[in-house]
Amino acid sequence: METASEDMAPIGFAVEIPGFEGPFRLLADLILDQKIDVSDVPIATVTDGFLRYAKDTAAWNLEEATWFLAICAVLLELKVSRLTPKQTELDEEDLLGGSPDLAYARSIELHAFRKVALELARRLEDEAGYFARDIGPGPEFAHLYPDPMTSVAAGDLATLAAQLLRPPPTVDLSHVTPIRFTVNDAIQAVEAHLARIEQGQATFRELTADCEDRMHVVVRFLALLELYRDGKVELQQAATFGEIEVAWKG
């Protein structure tokens, strides 16, 4: 004859917490059925108990461990949602805070809004029968129009004509540097200077010896870059910030 303990199937992982003692599966079902408040369940304690239970290799079960992790994730989400304060819309009683003074002020404000709404509705109803006239008076009333030329004198016309015919004011460009040198002129000057030299070589300092100011030197340098791009000159510089040697290639 078999004993009762031999007839009972293994219940798996069991928990012992305040208010409940038994299989964890039963605890999970009671929580999901809202028969036990999830806020009263110490999930950390349950997890520590399961880790101790899982250390026993004889009781280890991959399916049970997977189910435990999934259920714990759901219970943890439910507990966080229960413990996290929810933002609720305040009703009128919460806004007034039970103060009779605030309630009286709110009643006066509502009365004013109702009065304005009734006045707007009355005006809209009274003005509903009126429409704007899109055309002017008929030709029979043309003699009633005031003559706009009666108050206009010859001096007024002369003043108006002087204002309209006055030339526009000139724009002051004294702060703008005038363009006195062009790249084309600088290219011609460099080509002429190199053509006068038998070897066809010169330094940049020699090519800019006749420059009048710094802008003239900059334009001359741009001309050298244009010639170098076209393959007409060869540039060499032995050292950084050293003298630039220019050789004519034609």
Side-chain angles (χ1 to χ4, degrees), residues 90-99:
L90 300 178
D91 54 10
E92 188 171 355
E93 293 183 359
D94 295 331
L95 293 175
L96 296 179
S99 174

Side-chain angles (χ1 to χ4, degrees), residues 29 73 164 168 170 210:
D29 293 338
L164 295 176
T170 57
D210 59 335

Side-chain angles (χ1 to χ4, degrees), residues 193 197 201-210 220 243:
H193 186 89
I197 302 175
Q201 296 182 355
T203 63
F204 181 70
R205 191 181 303 275
E206 294 174 351
L207 294 176
T208 58
D210 59 335
R220 192 67 59 87
E243 194 69 57

